[in-house]
Structures are given as structure tokens and as C-alpha cells.
Amino acid sequence: MLPEAYEDRDSGPTTGTAALPSVGGMQTIVRPAVAVTDLTKVYGTGDTAVRALDGVSVTFAAGGFTAIMGPSGSGKSTLMHCAAGLDTVTSGTVQLFDGRGEATDLTGLGDTALTKLRRTRIGFVFQQFNLLPTLTAAQNITLPLELAGARPDPEWYATVVDVLGLRDRLGHRPNQLSGGQQQRVACARALLARPDVVFADEPTGNLDSKTGQEVLDFLRRSVAELGQTVVMVTHDPTAAAYADRVVLLADGRLVDEIARPTADSVLDRLKRLGA
Amino acid sequence: MIRTTLAGLRTHLRRLLATAIAVVLGVGFVAGTLIFTATARAGFFDTFARTAKNVDVSVLAGGQRLPLADLDRVRALAGVAAADGRLADSLALLDREGKPVTNFSRAGYAVSTDGDPLLRPFDVVGRVPAGDGEALLDKETAGHQHLVVGDTITVLDRAGARHPLTLVGLLDFGVSKTYSGWSVVGLPAARIAALTGATGYDEIVVRAAAGTDPGKLAGSVRPAVAKGAKVSTGDKRREQLANDATSVATQFSIILLVFGAVSLVVAVFVIYNTFAILLAQRVRETALLRCVGATRGQVFGATVLESAVVGLGGGFLGVLAGVGIAYGLFALLNGVLNAGVPAHSIVLGPAPVLAGLTLGVVVTVLAALLPAVRATRTAPLAALRDLAPLTETGRVRRIVRLAVAVLFVAAGAAVTVAGHDSADSQAGTFLVVAGGIVAFLGLLVAAPLFVGRLTAAVGVPVRWIAGTPARVAVANARRNPGRTAATTATLMIAIGLMCLCAVVLASIKATARDQLSGHYPVDYAVTGLSYEDGKRADLPPEFARSLRARPEFAGVAEVRVLDVRIDGRPARIGAVDAAALGGLITLDMTTGDAGALGTGTVIIPPGTPQPSITVTAGGRATSLRVVGTAKTTIPGSGQLAALVSWDQLTALGAGPADAVVMAKAASGVAPTASRDAIDAVARPFPLAQVNSVADLSSDLDKAVNGLIGLFAGLLGTAVVIALFGVANTLSLSVVERTRESATLRAVGLTRAQLRGTLLVEAVLMGLVGAVVGIAYGMIYGPLVVATAFRAIDPRVVVPWAWLAGLMALAALASCLAAVLPARKAASASIVAALADV
Ligand SMILES: Nc1ncnc2c1ncn2[C@@H]1O[C@H](COP(=O)(O)OP(=O)(O)OP(=O)(O)O)[C@@H](O)[C@H]1O
Ligand SMILES: [Mg+2]
């Protein structure tokens, strides 16, 4: 099954990001951002135990855009949550690498240490946007850094805000923003601290296709132009085509991988998976 | 629909718990008061029934005691089996050290023991006194003075002479608390008359011969007794005694019911808030019901039914709690206030039970009415919306609210000012309080408008200390001003009242202390023993003379008083001896010159300026020219209506006896040495009561602090309910913000910080409530003091330490209220909470 994945190596993205240089190619030896080894996650005990992840090993390259796909209930969200240190693992390790290549084993960290690490080293984009309704867009964006007691780099802040087109929306509260704008605020929040990795769980799931594309474009650009690492869970083959690599999950196991995916190749592979 | 409601109740039971507790506490207080009143009434009834046991006709003295001859005339009437005169008067009993046995600085009593054993209001253990040298003593006093039959006791006559008596028996008053706490010596009426100067009887009681109708007998008794005496049958007398008892108990219960009402009002806010929040959270559920065909009426009915069930349950538990509270009230009133409420087993009639259940249901349903009406406005479409938009109140509604609030505050202020300026201090106080309530209502109406900004202001220092989590907390506390306002309103009420009480009581304390020492530099104020009717024994001038001879004292001042009429009204005037005036005692003149005080002149308190006053003493009217105004308060005798010169007082007819002797210790003499010296001087004068000013003011402090504690205790229920309200609002908010909290945790808020944000939010609410409450109390406390005590020129004191404590308490207690919700929020798993819709 695996060798087939390499056939698609040369088929580039079919959508508007073609002009961007690809940094995540398989030929290049790249530094890892997150390495997951033998990850198992079991929910519950006894008869009701659910093996959501069953010995998953995967590495997300620094500066790469990876999409995680698979049928519903295959463990995509679980993998993401464990890799992001939001959830505990049953066994296995999750290593997060900083810019100098130094690894931190997330599975060995306590809750407070994990929380502090999430402030600056991991960014999140959720399907439901999850902005704080009481804070303005600007306050939402700077929240993680403020919690870390750090000041955002003004230049970088300006870049992120401008790239996302949020300049004239900064003083608004989330309920005064459209869904797409809210998700762009969430993206800005995730990127402002220049984290080692950004995790996005179905970021376009609640958006129409046009605004969804805008968000995906931005994620793509942040990888290509800003050197960001992005890991995205999605059900949508078109969305997956923005990534430079797709990993496929089924029944808690890594079953396939597509480099330089296109919407068609992804759809094809998913069909073969029986999804 | 009913099934849906009950199913909903079961699932939401935990969220309704705080509401139920608020109902239980509010109802409990009221039911407890009613149970207490019924029980106290029963106790009083027993007491007074004993007093009139076997009495068929009773003759009560009017203004003056019944002449001795009346008894003989009554005894001679046909149909009288027995008749007795009852006499009671103050009589000082000496303890083993030779000092009078007192209770609340007052001497005890003597009661007459002669006559028909069946008509006595007490039982006698032993025998009644046969001669002049014998006496009875009440059981309790005999117990704590370690006296037994056969011992000798000593009593003092009004002149201070000692009279030894042999104890031949004990008095047992049973459950009666008439003399509770005081010593009671039983003596033949004639002996009491000889010792106290009291002649005649307070009451004549008659037992009818067999077959004589008490009503007819009463008719024949009436012409035989002095005019003005009240003749009634025994049954009437018993009924009247019971009514008196009821009025005593009713006085307590009215005060208590006021506090109960406060608790209930606070409870209403908590209940209202709970339902408002619950229904807001249930919008989706309600809309779904509407989608599938529930009518508005059904939605409304469901909410009302739900609140009625909660109210009934809370009311039932409240009645149970009331029984406990009734016990507590007995302990409180008898223990702290020495109210002497007779003990009786708890009386639980149908009235408190019905009242408790009704109150529970009515209060809860009323509080839930507005949220229920709001719920009916839920559009079926709301079921399809993802997130409820943040509540932004419309401009028009805000303006209407503001207008209503301004109207209330303005009306309240106008009434208050009218009360403050009114000539009648009592009516004025009533107006001030009424205006205060109206203004406070305005404040509550306005609360949603200012509570956000106030929270932000209070939050500024908190944000400095706690950083970003505090900012989140401030934002959360501000996000729903209506909810925050309703939550903090409870604290505003409770703490506002506490602050008001604290200001009033502290001012009373300061004013009373002024009255005590009158700003005079004295260490001791010696007075004569006080008797029941407010009269006092005089001090012979020899006492002051012996005191002057002691080297331990640098100065001694004698004060004499005389009861006169000033411009027709009864008043007490006084004079300080010439040697002390201007020396030890310097008058604090507001206007005029103390040196001008002499024959034909007078000094009066400031207030109503007058060129002269007319003093009538012994039937003679004397016009005195006013030469100045000054505070006329003298330690030990309180405020006097006027001060005259020593010679002028003698000329007006004052005898050679001192009302107060003040003494200042010489410098370098230790307090213990001066106390020993003054006690030694006082030993031959058993009627002299030596008070050190330090003792008096510490007694006063104790008394006032006790009162503050009592009010704090009574208002405590309201505070506790308010805190349940805070906890309730928070825990409901926590439920509502599950996903938000998870997001915060995901982007880097630690568990401790999340707990912190909730604690900060609670503290902010506590502080906002406290700030508003204290501000209110600081405005209205002084107004009440100034109006109610205008006659004695009160000192207004703000007890800063108390208020700081109140503030800290509010913060701390709300922190405590947040502990559980905070723990719940922090313990939630991020991933699970993120999935929450
Ligand atoms: N808290 C939990 N308790 C028990 N089982 C769980 C829990 N969370 C997830 N699971 C189970 O683990 C498996 C993987 O769930 P996960 O949410 O990772 O799937 P997913 O691939 O993200 O699905 P979807 O595409 O529907 O979001 C599923 O079978 C799910 O039922
Ligand atoms: Mg998922």
C-alpha cells in the first residue's frame, strides 16, 4: 500500500498556491517539528475501552504543511490533541522540537509546564473559531503572548494583521465579525508567537468554500513565506490539496501517506480506503 | 408538558440547588421567627397565668398605690373568700462583701408575702416570715449567694441603713421571668413599707366565696376601692396579661420579621437570577420545544411549575430549618440581650407551616415570573442558532432604566431631606428611613447601568496584581451587566444594611461615651444605687467630704440635681459645687461665659436660643436669665436640661444630698491605688456605686459591640444567601463558558490561572457589592443618627476599621463562594470541554 503513495510525488497543488515555493518536499532532508512515536491512546477501560490510536508513529517536518485525513472516528482529532499536549497519551512519546532542533518530550510534562509551553510554542485553530467573546480581535490575537508575559514583536504583529486583512477589524468583538473573519483572527492568534507548530482541526469546517479558501491560502502562505509548520485535520480533499503532504488514518492506525497531494489523488486514495 | 418539566427539573436539580437553599434560608428565617413568637407567647402565657392563679377579681393600682384601707374594705365585702394586697418595690440586698446585689446596675426587689396562700403568685418553700426579723429569698439568688434557710441576710433601707434578717424560706416563681436576674426578698407588706417608704398596694387580688359570680363581685369591689384603680375579673386579668405577653413577644418578632423580609428580598434576587440564567442557557431547549409545537402558554406554565416545585420544596425545608432558627433566637435573645423570654417547648402550629410553604412558593414563583415571560418570547428559530449573541441592551431601554432610577433616587432624596429637616425627630427618622429605602430601590434599578464601569474601576488594582487572568475576569464580570447587577444587588442590600447599622451603633457609642465622661477629666463617677422606677439613692455629703480628705485624689466635684418643671415641662436641672466649677469641671461653652453663672442665671444646652426660662420647683416659679449655652452632660447623670449655680439650686429647694460625686486621681497614683482608696471611702456608704470612667466606657463598648454583633448575626442570613447567589451565578457561568475556558486553557491559561480568573471575578462582584453598600451606609447612617438623636447633639462616627473588615469579609467570602465553581471549571478536561456545544 505504501509504495503507491510515492507515485503522486510530482503532482503539485492544483489551486492558487502554485506560485509558492515548496519547502516540504520528500527529497529534502528536513528538520522535524513534531515527532510522534508508537502513540497509543485508549479511552475508557474494560469492555467499553476504545483504542482511538493504536501505535501511530509520524513525524511532521518543520516548515511543512501536513494534512491528516481519514474516516470519521479514525482518530484524527485524538492524534492532534495528543501531539499538541492537550490530552494525555496511554503510551508512546510526543517530541516537540525547537528552532535549534532540541527536543522536549511532551508526554513527560506536567499540566502547568504543558500549558506554559502551549502559550508560545504551539498554536491552535479550531473548527468553531473559539475566540473569547469578551475580548476584541486584537486582544484575542495577543492573548497567548500576554499570558506568557511577553510583548508581541510589533513588526511581526503588523505583518500578521495585514496579511490576514484584519487591520480595520482589530477593535471589534467576535460577535461583530463574520465567520471567515473570526477564523482569520484565530489564525493570527495561532501565529503571533511564531510557534514551533500550528495545529488546525477542520479549520474550514464551519466556513463556506470561498472563505474557507481564504483561510487555507493564508495557512499555505504562512508555511511558504513565513516558514511556519502547520498540521491540519480535514475531511475535504480540496483543503488537503493545499498541504504538501497528507497522512491517512483508519481505525487509529497510520495507513497511507500522499506527498504533493491533489484533490483528485486524495479523493482517490480515500475511496480506496473505503471511506 | 408537565412530564417534560419534571424531567427537566430532575436533570437541572443541581443547578437549582442554590435557589432552593436561598428559599430555605429566607423562609427559615421567617418561619423561625413565627415559631419563636408562638413559643415565646406560650411561655409568657404560662408565666402570667401563674401570676393570676386562683384570682377571681383583681384590682390594679392606677397612678398611685392603693391605700391600705382599701384592702380592709374589700375583705369586708360579701362573697369575698379571701383578699390580699400585693406590694413590690426595689430593695437592695447586700452580698457577702457588703455590696448591693445588682443586675444591670439596678437593685433587686422586695415582694409582700402575707395573706392567703392560694392567692400568692409564687410558691413558698419553708414558711412565710412571721416577724420583722424574718425574710424569704428567691431560689436563684439564694443559690448563687450560697444562702440556706437559717442564714442571715442584710437589706438596705432607702437611707442606706443595714437591716439583718433571718432566712426562713425560699420563694419559687416557677417559670415566671418577671424578676428574672434580680434578687427578690419576701417580706410582710408592712415591713416593705417601713424599709422602702412604699405605702399601699400595687394590686389587690380577691378569691370569691363558693357560688359567687366573679363578674358580680367585681361590680361590688369597684366602689370599695380608690378612684382610678382598675377592677377586673380574674379571667379578664389573665387575658390581659396574655395580651401584654403577646405584645412583648410581638415587639421581638416585628424586628425579627424585618430582618426576615430582608433575607427574603435577597433570596428573590438569587432566585430571579438563577431562573434568568437557566432559561438563557436553555434557549435552545425551549426553542426546540416551540419547534415541535409547545405554545407560549405551555412554555410559561412549565417555568412557573418548575419554580413552584422548587419553592414548595424549599419552603418545606425552610419550615424545618425554622424550628432550629427558633431555638437559636431563644439563645440569642436570652443570652446576648438578656431578654428573659420564658422557656417553653417549641410550639409548631399550622400558621408558621402554612406561612412558610406559601412564602416559599409565592416568593419563588414571583421571582421566576419575569424570566418565564422572557422565555415565552423565545422564537422557535433560536434552536437553529449556534451561539447566543452577547447581550447588548438597547439604547431606549437603558434610557428608560436611567429615568426610572433617577426618579426613584430623586424622590427618595426629597423624602430624606424632608425627614432630616423636620422638627419631630421620630417622624423625621421614619421619613429618612423611608426615603432611604426608595433611594436604594433607585440604586438597584440603576445597578445594571453602572455595575460594569464600577467593576472595571475596582478591577484596575486587581489587574495590576493578577495580570492577564484578571483582565479576563474583569471582562467576564462585565459581559452581562444585568446578571452581575442582580448578583451584586444581594450583597449591596446586605452590606448596605450592615454598614448602616455599624455607623449608627458606632455613633451611638461615641455619643454615649461623650455623655459618660462629658469631656471632663475625671477618673471616677460615684452615684447612688438605682431603683426600679429610674430613681436613685442620694449620696450623703459626708461621702464627698471623706473623699476630699484622701491624698490619692487631686480633685473632687459634687453634682446635685433637682426635678423641676421648665416652662411647664418636667425636667431635671443640676449644679456643680462652686469649688469644682471652673477648676476640675470646666464647662465646654458654645456661647456665653461660664463665669456669669450665679443667682438668677442659667446655662442651657445649645439648640433653641432663649433669653430666659421659667423653672417651677416646689410650687414656686422662678425666672432665670440664660447667660450661655454649653453641653450639659455630666458623667453619671447624663444630660441635664439646665445648669444653675450651686446656691441657686439650693435656693430652688435641693436638699443636701449629692447625685454624683466625681473624682480625679492625683498624678502619680496608680489606678489600683486610687480604686482601693475610693472603695475604702465608700465602704460605710453601701448605697454608693463606684464606677470608674474606664470601666463604664469599656462596658459601653462591650454592649455596643454586642449589638453590632447581633445585627451582623441577623443580617448574616442575608449575606449567606447573597453568597450562595454569587456561587450560583458563577457555577452557572462556568457551565455556560465551558468551551471558552477550554480555549483559554488551550492557548496557555494554566489550571491555577483559570481558578484564579473565577476567584477574581467573584472578588470583583463581592467588592462591587461592598463598595456600593458601604457608600450607601455611609450616606444614610449619619443621616439616621443626626435625625434620630438630634435632641442630644450626637457625634457621627464612621467605624473605618469595621468597614474595612466588612470589605475584606465581602471579598473573602465571595472568594470562598467561588471555590467550588472554580474547581469544577479547572478540573474539566480541555479536549472534552472543547467538544462542548
Ligand atoms: N472522550 C472520549 N471517550 C471515549 N471515546 C472517545 C473519546 N473521544 C474520542 N473517542 C473515540 O475515539 C475514536 C477517535 O475519535 P476522534 O475524535 O479522534 O475521531 P476523528 O477522526 O477526529 O473523527 P471526526 O472526523 O468525526 O472528527 C472514536 O471512535 C471516538 O468514538
Ligand atoms: Mg475530529
Side-chain angles (χ1 to χ4, degrees), chain A residues 43-44 50 52 70-79 202 235:
Chain A
Y43 286 112
V50 177
S72 187
S74 56
K76 304 182 293 293
S77 297
T78 308
L79 174 60
E202 301 187 41
H235 277 289

Side-chain angles (χ1 to χ4, degrees), chain B residues 158-223:
Chain B
R158 288 295 153 101
R162 296 182 175 84
H163 298 267
L165 300 163
T166 308
L167 211 53
V168 295
L170 297 178
L171 293 167
D172 185 351
F173 287 92
V175 294
S176 167
K177 296 272 176 177
T178 315
Y179 299 113
S180 175
W182 276 280
S183 61
V184 186
V185 179
L187 292 168
R191 186 81 174 111
I192 297 176
L195 287 169
T196 66
T199 48
Y201 301 109
D202 299 312
E203 185 181 8
I204 291 174
V205 287
V206 180
R207 195 154 55 81
T212 309
D213 173 51
K216 286 222 181 82
L217 188 57
S220 54
V221 166
R222 195 162 289 122

Side-chain angles (χ1 to χ4, degrees), chain A residues 38-56 73-75 77-79 81-82 87-92 251-253, chain B residues 829 831:
Chain A
D38 252 348
L39 193 61
T40 303
K41 171 78 187 178
V42 180
Y43 286 112
T45 49
D47 288 348
T48 56
V50 177
R51 208 164 253 275
L53 291 177
D54 192 3
V56 173
S74 56
S77 297
T78 308
L79 174 60
H81 291 148
C82 290
D87 210 348
T88 54
V89 304
T90 309
S91 68
D251 291 333
R253 288 164 199 273
Chain B
S829 129
V831 173

Side-chain angles (χ1 to χ4, degrees), chain A residues 148-165:
Chain A
R151 295 198 163 276
D153 169 7
E155 248 171 77
W156 179 239
Y157 178 77
T159 311
V160 170
V161 166
D162 288 333
V163 166
L164 284 164

